[in-house]
Amino acid sequence: MKLEETIRILYDADVEFVVIGGAAMGLQGSAYLTKDIDFCYARTPANIERLANALQPFHPVLRGAPADLPFRLTPRRSRRD
């Protein structure tokens, strides 16, 4: 998925976020390119719920976890109290 598509999905879901890292540098005209997208999001319960709902169709997985580990992204799992 392209950077623009990812931003559009989050934007259309009213997720409050900012793009950071190499992708942000590229958006500012840097020649430094990365193949991932890093972003920070507002950690309010409503925003976390919008984020989880926006990402659900893409079947997110836990990085570094076994491939057969069952996982479902939910607002509760996305939040640390």
Side-chain angles (χ1 to χ4, degrees):
M1 180 177 303
K2 293 182 180 180
L3 174 63
E4 294 83 5
E5 292 171 297
T6 303
I7 290 173
R8 175 57 59 192
I9 289 164
L10 297 176
Y11 178 82
D12 288 348
D14 292 325
V15 175
E16 297 173 40
F17 70 99
V18 294
V19 178
I20 61 173
M25 292 170 54
L27 291 170
Q28 295 294 319
S30 173
Y32 179 78
L33 300 176
T34 63
K35 294 185 181 196
D36 63 344
I37 301 169
D38 303 307
F39 61 92
C40 290
Y41 55 92
R43 301 203 39 89
T44 63
N47 197 57
I48 291 171
E49 184 168 347
R50 289 189 298 267
L51 175 65
N53 290 335
L55 296 179
Q56 194 60 45
F58 303 98
H59 310 286
V61 297
L62 297 173
R63 183 185 302 176
D68 61 346
L69 179 70
F71 174 75
R72 184 170 180 274
L73 180 65
T74 64
R76 185 171 179 230
R77 282 199 176 119
S78 302
R79 190 180 79 223
R80 277 191 152 178
D81 295 324

